[in-house]
Amino acid sequence: MSQKPALLGGKPVRTRCFPPWPIFGRTEEHGLVRTLCSGKWGRLDGEEVAKFESRFAAMHGCKHGVGMVNGTVSLRIALLAAGIGAEDEVIVPPYTFFSTASAVVEANAVPVFTDIDLDTFNLGCKAVEAVVTPRTRAIIPVHFAGQPADMARIMAIARKRKLVVIEDAAHAHGASYMNRPAGSLGHMGSFSFQSSKNLTAGEGGIIITNDDRLAESCRSIHNCGRIPSGVWYEHHVISGNYRLGEFQGAILNCQLDRLERQTRTRDRNGQYLASRIVELPGIHPQKRGADCTRHSYHLFMLRIDGEAFGVPRGAVVRALEAEGIPCSGGYGLSLHHQPLFRNKAFGPYLPKAREKLDYDKTRCPNSDLICREQCVWLEQNMLLGSRNDMDDIARAFEKIHENREVLKAWSRKREREVR
Ligand SMILES: Cc1ncc(COP(=O)(O)O)c(C=O)c1O
């Protein structure tokens, strides 16, 4: 007989916490103290960031790494380094964090939102081909949740149309596509080290590339327009100070030592969890592409078809939380529906193009559907748990499904009360 759901007063599946995030220890402490005592706290004085840049680039088979203050600035600098601006068009997905598109506007280019695939949650390649125009200059595929986008097809489109590809790999530390590291597959790869990320220093970012010219340009733009052969007070392009600091470099060097093991654990647990819940009606975990050789599971994502499952997404999220499984519905709306884009509140950017732009006309039904009623996110730290932890998550889904009738009734009653 099924047990009463915790949301309706039953005993929860679990009361124990999942692994915390971030994970750190003595090595981080020593790294920070060493940096403190060195007195070399800035990028231009110390060695930590330089060491991290080389290690991170090498791990991706790239010649260059340029550390940045965050993964928003790194996207913008990558666009500027590639010469994109002057109201060029840049293809981006609508199901991503704000920065993927805000960075485009802040490079004075036009984000063109292109729908995602409903199975993988990554840019749909047919949709990309359909929106390329003579003004298109770049594509920013996001490896959403840590699963690499279909890079072979994206690069084929880019070659044919002479487009620049900047991978937004903010979720994809340690992920791989056809056994090649995510972030090394396009012309440049951009990563974030913000608090929630699988590799973190609280804040931070990096651009990696194999292109000497792009690397030099990124380095110059992130360092007040200086050039390697120039002196300190010599500035060649309009830019700013976007350098990563040495304390963050010290932490990143320690966190990088942990990444491989953590990524293996997340990938193993993510695949196991997906295999456990995929059998339930209406449950669609993010589909793993055949070319995904490693998923970094920054998020474990799934779609719930409320009709088929028997309980709508909102009630499932509430019920999972009551069972001791932290989760959310993720983004509440596609990025192009944000007031920023609807109102074209672009500040000094896009002075001419904005007149013709109307983001209310953009159609991305897949993204809208998962935002509005289907998506569920579990965060990466949960996947650092044990096999038993994954079984608990699966058990909670099963328990909710077994109790679908009472939970559906609860949800209907609640809806009536809210109205
Ligand atoms: C997909 C994506 N791109 C870019 C960013 C921006 O990174 P940051 O927060 O380091 O600026 C984030 C998240 O934070 C992200 O999730």
Side-chain angles (χ1 to χ4, degrees):
M1 211 186 84
S2 80
Q3 289 173 329
K4 194 173 178 183
L7 187 62
L8 305 181
K11 187 168 169 284
V13 167
R14 62 183 275 143
T15 49
R16 274 180 307 122
C17 290
F18 285 92
W21 188 257
I23 291 172
F24 58 93
R26 278 291 159 86
T27 48
E28 281 79 1
E29 196 181 324
H30 288 154
L32 285 174
V33 171
R34 195 177 55 242
T35 306
L36 180 75
C37 296
S38 74
K40 296 174 179 172
W41 299 353
R43 167 67 179 89
L44 304 181
D45 311 313
E47 284 144 30
E48 293 288 347
V49 174
K51 181 173 158 196
F52 175 72
E53 289 174 339
S54 320
R55 290 179 67 200
F56 196 77
M59 162 189 155
H60 289 82
C62 284
K63 281 202 271 177
H64 308 281
V66 186
M68 303 273 165
V69 283
N70 58 52
T72 303
V73 156
S74 57
L75 285 169
R76 176 167 174 260
I77 290 183
L79 288 160
L80 296 176
I84 285 147
E87 319 211 335
D88 293 330
E89 292 177 3
V90 178
I91 295 170
V92 296
Y95 196 83
T96 179
F97 186 60
F98 153 85
S99 312
T100 315
S102 72
V104 174
V105 175
E106 287 198 299
N108 202 33
V110 177
V112 176
F113 293 98
T114 308
D115 210 1
I116 53 163
D117 180 277
L118 209 46
D119 292 327
T120 63
F121 309 130
N122 278 329
L123 262 183
C125 293
K126 268 204 191 127
V128 168
E129 280 195 288
V131 296
V132 175
T133 73
R135 293 206 60 84
T136 309
R137 291 285 316 282
I139 309 174
I140 308 184
V142 180
H143 303 311
F144 204 84
Q147 166 156 257
D150 188 350
M151 288 304 291
R153 284 182 69 191
I154 288 172
M155 293 310 288
I157 298 169
R159 269 191 299 276
K160 198 161 121 199
R161 306 290 194 134
K162 297 199 170 31
L163 309 177
V164 174
V165 176
I166 299 166
E167 297 169 71
D168 185 344
H171 297 182
H173 318 77
S176 67
Y177 175 88
M178 294 185 183
N179 289 314
R180 290 176 57 204
S184 70
L185 305 152
H187 300 100
M188 284 173 277
S190 164
F191 290 81
S192 161
F193 306 125
Q194 169 270 344
S195 314
S196 69
K197 299 300 185 295
N198 295 19
L199 181 66
T200 182
E203 302 289 356
I206 197 168
I207 296 171
I208 56 171
T209 182
N210 268 314
D211 183 309
D212 299 343
R213 196 188 51 80
L214 288 173
E216 193 175 305
S217 183
C218 290
R219 195 164 287 290
S220 176
I221 297 170
H222 106 302
N223 186 20
C224 309
R226 296 190 176 104
I227 57 169
S229 58
V231 296
W232 174 72
Y233 199 60
E234 186 183 324
H235 307 273
H236 288 254
V237 287
I238 183 69
S239 61
N241 171 3
Y242 303 112
R243 300 182 301 260
L244 185 64
E246 283 292 286
F247 289 105
Q248 284 153 318
I251 293 199
L252 286 168
N253 275 316
C254 301
Q255 292 281 303
L256 193 57
D257 292 333
R258 300 177 188 274
L259 182 67
E260 176 59 28
R261 198 154 162 224
Q262 290 174 341
T263 309
R264 264 191 257 133
T265 306
R266 289 189 192 96
D267 193 22
R268 189 176 58 240
N269 277 335
Q271 291 192 67
Y272 174 70
L273 179 57
S275 74
R276 287 266 340 241
I277 62 174
V278 73
E279 301 301 332
L280 290 167
I283 297 287
H284 306 282
Q286 183 180 31
K287 196 167 171 189
R288 193 175 175 114
D291 296 330
C292 172
T293 36
R294 192 153 77 169
H295 192 314
S296 59
Y297 282 106
H298 175 58
L299 298 167
F300 181 94
M301 279 177 79
L302 61 130
R303 281 195 301 122
I304 295 186
D305 174 345
E307 281 288 311
F309 186 68
V311 188
R313 187 262 310 258
V316 175
V317 167
R318 291 284 301 273
L320 281 169
E321 290 200 305
E323 298 296 345
I325 313 297
C327 63
S328 76
Y331 303 136
L333 71 169
S334 298
L335 191 46
H336 58 284
H337 293 316
Q338 289 281 350
L340 154 70
F341 291 104
R342 300 194 65 188
N343 302 331
K344 297 182 274 184
F346 300 147
Y349 302 109
L350 302 178
K352 283 202 214 117
R354 76 170 70 183
E355 281 166 29
K356 283 182 245 143
L357 282 175
D358 182 358
Y359 284 107
D360 285 342
K361 287 194 182 138
T362 298
R363 294 282 170 268
C364 296
N366 293 343
S367 174
D368 290 345
L369 176 71
I370 65 170
C371 288
R372 201 176 52 236
E373 57 186 72
Q374 293 200 338
C375 209
V376 175
W377 289 4
L378 308 182
E379 292 187 5
Q380 52 91 2
N381 59 304
M382 296 168 73
L383 298 188
L384 291 174
S386 63
R387 175 71 50 117
N388 285 344
D389 290 332
M390 299 307 109
D391 286 330
D392 282 348
I393 300 173
R395 177 71 203 119
F397 274 98
E398 286 159 6
K399 187 174 165 191
I400 293 165
H401 185 248
E402 285 156 13
N403 284 282
R404 57 194 175 279
E405 293 304 332
V406 279
L407 284 168
K408 187 155 72 177
W410 175 88
S411 167
R412 288 212 174 119
K413 183 161 170 274
R414 220 172 146 262
E415 261 175 39
R416 280 196 298 274
E417 283 165 5
V418 171
R419 270 195 236 122

Short mmCIF file of all heavy atoms in Angstrom, two decimals, residues 36-78:
data_model
loop_
_atom_site.label_atom_id
_atom_site.label_comp_id
_atom_site.label_asym_id
_atom_site.label_seq_id
_atom_site.Cartn_x
_atom_site.Cartn_y
_atom_site.Cartn_z
N LEU A 36 47.74 35.36 0.91
CA LEU A 36 47.70 36.50 1.83
C LEU A 36 49.13 36.91 2.21
O LEU A 36 49.52 38.07 2.11
CB LEU A 36 46.90 36.10 3.08
CG LEU A 36 46.76 37.15 4.15
CD1 LEU A 36 45.74 38.20 3.71
CD2 LEU A 36 46.28 36.53 5.47
N CYS A 37 49.90 35.91 2.64
CA CYS A 37 51.25 36.20 3.16
C CYS A 37 52.20 36.63 2.05
O CYS A 37 53.17 37.33 2.32
CB CYS A 37 51.82 34.98 3.89
SG CYS A 37 50.84 34.58 5.34
N SER A 38 51.89 36.25 0.81
CA SER A 38 52.78 36.65 -0.29
C SER A 38 52.68 38.16 -0.53
O SER A 38 53.58 38.78 -1.09
CB SER A 38 52.41 35.92 -1.58
OG SER A 38 51.21 36.46 -2.12
N GLY A 39 51.54 38.74 -0.10
CA GLY A 39 51.34 40.17 -0.36
C GLY A 39 51.02 40.45 -1.82
O GLY A 39 50.82 41.59 -2.21
N LYS A 40 50.97 39.39 -2.63
CA LYS A 40 50.67 39.58 -4.06
C LYS A 40 49.21 39.20 -4.29
O LYS A 40 48.89 38.04 -4.51
CB LYS A 40 51.60 38.70 -4.91
CG LYS A 40 53.07 39.09 -4.77
CD LYS A 40 53.95 38.11 -5.50
CE LYS A 40 55.41 38.54 -5.38
NZ LYS A 40 56.31 37.51 -5.91
N TRP A 41 48.35 40.18 -4.19
CA TRP A 41 46.91 39.90 -4.20
C TRP A 41 46.25 40.15 -5.55
O TRP A 41 45.09 39.79 -5.76
CB TRP A 41 46.21 40.75 -3.13
CG TRP A 41 46.70 40.47 -1.73
CD1 TRP A 41 47.56 39.47 -1.35
CD2 TRP A 41 46.36 41.18 -0.55
NE1 TRP A 41 47.78 39.52 0.00
CE2 TRP A 41 47.05 40.57 0.53
CE3 TRP A 41 45.54 42.29 -0.28
CZ2 TRP A 41 46.94 41.02 1.85
CZ3 TRP A 41 45.43 42.74 1.03
CH2 TRP A 41 46.13 42.10 2.09
N GLY A 42 46.96 40.83 -6.44
CA GLY A 42 46.37 41.18 -7.74
C GLY A 42 46.96 40.35 -8.87
O GLY A 42 48.10 39.86 -8.78
N ARG A 43 46.19 40.21 -9.95
CA ARG A 43 46.58 39.39 -11.11
C ARG A 43 47.96 39.77 -11.66
O ARG A 43 48.71 38.91 -12.11
CB ARG A 43 45.50 39.58 -12.19
CG ARG A 43 45.85 39.07 -13.58
CD ARG A 43 45.95 37.56 -13.58
NE ARG A 43 46.25 37.00 -14.88
CZ ARG A 43 47.48 36.80 -15.36
NH1 ARG A 43 48.53 37.18 -14.65
NH2 ARG A 43 47.66 36.25 -16.54
N LEU A 44 48.26 41.07 -11.63
CA LEU A 44 49.51 41.51 -12.27
C LEU A 44 50.72 41.28 -11.37
O LEU A 44 51.86 41.41 -11.81
CB LEU A 44 49.41 42.98 -12.68
CG LEU A 44 48.23 43.32 -13.60
CD1 LEU A 44 48.23 44.79 -13.98
CD2 LEU A 44 48.24 42.45 -14.87
N ASP A 45 50.46 40.91 -10.09
CA ASP A 45 51.59 40.73 -9.16
C ASP A 45 51.87 39.25 -8.88
O ASP A 45 53.03 38.86 -8.73
CB ASP A 45 51.27 41.39 -7.80
CG ASP A 45 50.77 42.80 -7.98
OD1 ASP A 45 51.41 43.53 -8.74
OD2 ASP A 45 49.72 43.14 -7.39
N GLY A 46 50.80 38.45 -8.78
CA GLY A 46 50.97 37.08 -8.27
C GLY A 46 51.03 36.03 -9.37
O GLY A 46 51.07 36.33 -10.56
N GLU A 47 51.03 34.75 -8.91
CA GLU A 47 51.17 33.65 -9.87
C GLU A 47 49.97 32.71 -9.91
O GLU A 47 49.89 31.82 -10.74
CB GLU A 47 52.41 32.81 -9.49
CG GLU A 47 53.71 33.48 -9.86
CD GLU A 47 54.81 33.24 -8.85
OE1 GLU A 47 54.79 32.17 -8.21
OE2 GLU A 47 55.66 34.13 -8.70
N GLU A 48 49.04 32.87 -8.97
CA GLU A 48 47.93 31.91 -8.86
C GLU A 48 47.03 31.93 -10.09
O GLU A 48 46.69 30.88 -10.63
CB GLU A 48 47.10 32.19 -7.61
CG GLU A 48 47.82 31.93 -6.30
CD GLU A 48 48.03 30.44 -6.00
OE1 GLU A 48 47.41 29.59 -6.65
OE2 GLU A 48 48.83 30.16 -5.09
N VAL A 49 46.62 33.12 -10.53
CA VAL A 49 45.72 33.19 -11.69
C VAL A 49 46.44 32.68 -12.93
O VAL A 49 45.88 31.90 -13.71
CB VAL A 49 45.17 34.63 -11.89
CG1 VAL A 49 44.36 34.71 -13.18
CG2 VAL A 49 44.30 35.05 -10.71
N ALA A 50 47.68 33.09 -13.09
CA ALA A 50 48.44 32.64 -14.28
C ALA A 50 48.54 31.12 -14.29
O ALA A 50 48.35 30.47 -15.33
CB ALA A 50 49.84 33.26 -14.26
N LYS A 51 48.78 30.54 -13.12
CA LYS A 51 48.89 29.08 -13.03
C LYS A 51 47.53 28.44 -13.36
O LYS A 51 47.47 27.47 -14.13
CB LYS A 51 49.31 28.71 -11.59
CG LYS A 51 49.48 27.24 -11.35
CD LYS A 51 50.07 27.05 -9.95
CE LYS A 51 49.77 25.65 -9.46
NZ LYS A 51 49.97 25.51 -8.01
N PHE A 52 46.49 28.99 -12.81
CA PHE A 52 45.16 28.43 -13.08
C PHE A 52 44.80 28.53 -14.57
O PHE A 52 44.30 27.59 -15.16
CB PHE A 52 44.08 29.13 -12.23
CG PHE A 52 42.70 28.67 -12.58
CD1 PHE A 52 42.27 27.40 -12.21
CD2 PHE A 52 41.85 29.47 -13.33
CE1 PHE A 52 41.01 26.94 -12.57
CE2 PHE A 52 40.59 29.02 -13.70
CZ PHE A 52 40.17 27.75 -13.32
N GLU A 53 45.10 29.69 -15.15
CA GLU A 53 44.79 29.87 -16.59
C GLU A 53 45.48 28.78 -17.42
O GLU A 53 44.86 28.19 -18.31
CB GLU A 53 45.27 31.25 -17.07
CG GLU A 53 44.46 32.40 -16.53
CD GLU A 53 45.02 33.78 -16.89
OE1 GLU A 53 46.22 33.89 -17.22
OE2 GLU A 53 44.26 34.75 -16.84
N SER A 54 46.75 28.52 -17.12
CA SER A 54 47.48 27.50 -17.91
C SER A 54 46.91 26.11 -17.66
O SER A 54 46.74 25.34 -18.59
CB SER A 54 48.96 27.42 -17.56
OG SER A 54 49.47 28.64 -17.36
N ARG A 55 46.61 25.81 -16.40
CA ARG A 55 46.10 24.47 -16.09
C ARG A 55 44.73 24.24 -16.73
O ARG A 55 44.46 23.19 -17.29
CB ARG A 55 45.97 24.29 -14.57
CG ARG A 55 47.29 24.20 -13.84
CD ARG A 55 47.04 24.04 -12.35
NE ARG A 55 46.41 22.77 -12.02
CZ ARG A 55 45.74 22.53 -10.89
NH1 ARG A 55 45.60 23.48 -9.98
NH2 ARG A 55 45.22 21.36 -10.65
N PHE A 56 43.88 25.26 -16.62
CA PHE A 56 42.51 25.09 -17.14
C PHE A 56 42.53 24.98 -18.66
O PHE A 56 41.83 24.15 -19.25
CB PHE A 56 41.64 26.28 -16.68
CG PHE A 56 40.16 26.03 -16.82
CD1 PHE A 56 39.49 25.23 -15.91
CD2 PHE A 56 39.44 26.58 -17.88
CE1 PHE A 56 38.12 24.99 -16.04
CE2 PHE A 56 38.08 26.35 -18.02
CZ PHE A 56 37.42 25.56 -17.09
N ALA A 57 43.37 25.82 -19.30
CA ALA A 57 43.48 25.75 -20.76
C ALA A 57 44.02 24.37 -21.17
O ALA A 57 43.47 23.72 -22.06
CB ALA A 57 44.38 26.86 -21.27
N ALA A 58 45.06 23.90 -20.49
CA ALA A 58 45.68 22.61 -20.85
C ALA A 58 44.69 21.47 -20.68
O ALA A 58 44.61 20.56 -21.51
CB ALA A 58 46.91 22.38 -19.99
N MET A 59 43.89 21.53 -19.63
CA MET A 59 42.90 20.48 -19.39
C MET A 59 41.89 20.39 -20.54
O MET A 59 41.28 19.36 -20.78
CB MET A 59 42.22 20.83 -18.06
CG MET A 59 40.92 20.18 -17.77
SD MET A 59 40.20 20.97 -16.30
CE MET A 59 38.47 20.64 -16.61
N HIS A 60 41.74 21.50 -21.27
CA HIS A 60 40.82 21.53 -22.40
C HIS A 60 41.54 21.38 -23.74
O HIS A 60 40.92 21.56 -24.80
CB HIS A 60 40.01 22.84 -22.39
CG HIS A 60 39.02 22.90 -21.28
ND1 HIS A 60 39.37 23.26 -19.99
CD2 HIS A 60 37.70 22.59 -21.24
CE1 HIS A 60 38.30 23.19 -19.22
NE2 HIS A 60 37.28 22.78 -19.94
N GLY A 61 42.83 21.13 -23.67
CA GLY A 61 43.59 21.03 -24.93
C GLY A 61 43.66 22.36 -25.64
O GLY A 61 43.77 22.42 -26.87
N CYS A 62 43.59 23.46 -24.89
CA CYS A 62 43.65 24.80 -25.50
C CYS A 62 44.98 25.47 -25.16
O CYS A 62 45.56 25.24 -24.10
CB CYS A 62 42.51 25.68 -24.99
SG CYS A 62 40.94 25.27 -25.74
N LYS A 63 45.40 26.34 -26.07
CA LYS A 63 46.68 27.04 -25.86
C LYS A 63 46.53 28.18 -24.84
O LYS A 63 47.48 28.53 -24.17
CB LYS A 63 47.16 27.64 -27.19
CG LYS A 63 47.81 26.63 -28.12
CD LYS A 63 48.71 27.34 -29.11
CE LYS A 63 47.94 27.73 -30.36
NZ LYS A 63 48.70 28.48 -31.33
N HIS A 64 45.35 28.79 -24.81
CA HIS A 64 45.22 30.02 -24.01
C HIS A 64 44.03 29.97 -23.06
O HIS A 64 42.97 29.44 -23.41
CB HIS A 64 45.00 31.22 -24.94
CG HIS A 64 46.01 31.34 -26.02
ND1 HIS A 64 47.27 31.86 -25.82
CD2 HIS A 64 45.94 30.99 -27.33
CE1 HIS A 64 47.94 31.83 -26.96
NE2 HIS A 64 47.17 31.30 -27.89
N GLY A 65 44.24 30.59 -21.90
CA GLY A 65 43.16 30.81 -20.95
C GLY A 65 43.32 32.22 -20.40
O GLY A 65 44.44 32.61 -20.06
N VAL A 66 42.23 32.98 -20.35
CA VAL A 66 42.30 34.34 -19.79
C VAL A 66 41.25 34.44 -18.69
O VAL A 66 40.04 34.44 -18.97
CB VAL A 66 42.06 35.42 -20.88
CG1 VAL A 66 42.29 36.81 -20.28
CG2 VAL A 66 42.96 35.20 -22.08
N GLY A 67 41.69 34.52 -17.45
CA GLY A 67 40.78 34.61 -16.31
C GLY A 67 40.05 35.95 -16.31
O GLY A 67 40.62 36.97 -16.70
N MET A 68 38.80 35.92 -15.86
CA MET A 68 37.96 37.13 -15.89
C MET A 68 37.23 37.27 -14.56
O MET A 68 37.08 36.29 -13.82
CB MET A 68 36.87 37.00 -16.97
CG MET A 68 37.38 36.75 -18.35
SD MET A 68 37.75 38.31 -19.17
CE MET A 68 38.73 37.70 -20.54
N VAL A 69 36.67 38.45 -14.32
CA VAL A 69 35.94 38.67 -13.07
C VAL A 69 34.68 37.80 -12.95
O VAL A 69 34.28 37.45 -11.85
CB VAL A 69 35.54 40.14 -12.85
CG1 VAL A 69 36.71 40.96 -12.40
CG2 VAL A 69 34.91 40.75 -14.09
N ASN A 70 34.07 37.48 -14.06
CA ASN A 70 32.90 36.58 -14.02
C ASN A 70 32.57 36.05 -15.42
O ASN A 70 33.22 36.44 -16.40
CB ASN A 70 31.68 37.27 -13.38
CG ASN A 70 31.27 38.52 -14.11
OD1 ASN A 70 31.08 38.52 -15.32
ND2 ASN A 70 31.16 39.63 -13.38
N GLY A 71 31.57 35.19 -15.47
CA GLY A 71 31.21 34.54 -16.73
C GLY A 71 30.26 35.37 -17.58
O GLY A 71 29.85 34.91 -18.65
N THR A 72 29.86 36.54 -17.10
CA THR A 72 29.08 37.46 -17.92
C THR A 72 30.04 38.31 -18.74
O THR A 72 29.90 38.44 -19.97
CB THR A 72 28.22 38.39 -17.01
OG1 THR A 72 27.39 37.58 -16.18
CG2 THR A 72 27.37 39.33 -17.83
N VAL A 73 31.03 38.86 -18.03
CA VAL A 73 32.06 39.68 -18.68
C VAL A 73 32.82 38.83 -19.71
O VAL A 73 33.16 39.31 -20.80
CB VAL A 73 33.00 40.25 -17.58
CG1 VAL A 73 34.36 40.59 -18.13
CG2 VAL A 73 32.36 41.48 -16.95
N SER A 74 33.08 37.57 -19.39
CA SER A 74 33.86 36.74 -20.33
C SER A 74 33.10 36.57 -21.65
O SER A 74 33.71 36.58 -22.72
CB SER A 74 34.21 35.39 -19.71
OG SER A 74 33.06 34.72 -19.29
N LEU A 75 31.77 36.45 -21.59
CA LEU A 75 31.00 36.34 -22.83
C LEU A 75 31.10 37.64 -23.64
O LEU A 75 31.31 37.62 -24.85
CB LEU A 75 29.53 36.05 -22.52
CG LEU A 75 29.19 34.63 -22.07
CD1 LEU A 75 27.77 34.57 -21.53
CD2 LEU A 75 29.36 33.64 -23.22
N ARG A 76 30.99 38.74 -22.95
CA ARG A 76 31.04 40.03 -23.65
C ARG A 76 32.41 40.25 -24.27
O ARG A 76 32.53 40.68 -25.42
CB ARG A 76 30.71 41.17 -22.67
CG ARG A 76 30.83 42.52 -23.30
CD ARG A 76 30.21 43.62 -22.46
NE ARG A 76 30.50 44.92 -23.04
CZ ARG A 76 31.46 45.72 -22.61
NH1 ARG A 76 32.22 45.37 -21.59
NH2 ARG A 76 31.66 46.88 -23.20
N ILE A 77 33.45 39.92 -23.50
CA ILE A 77 34.80 40.14 -24.02
C ILE A 77 35.08 39.21 -25.21
O ILE A 77 35.72 39.60 -26.18
CB ILE A 77 35.85 40.01 -22.89
CG1 ILE A 77 35.68 41.21 -21.95
CG2 ILE A 77 37.26 39.92 -23.44
CD1 ILE A 77 36.66 41.29 -20.81
N ALA A 78 34.57 38.00 -25.15
CA ALA A 78 34.75 37.08 -26.29
C ALA A 78 34.11 37.68 -27.55
O ALA A 78 34.69 37.63 -28.64
CB ALA A 78 34.14 35.72 -25.96
#
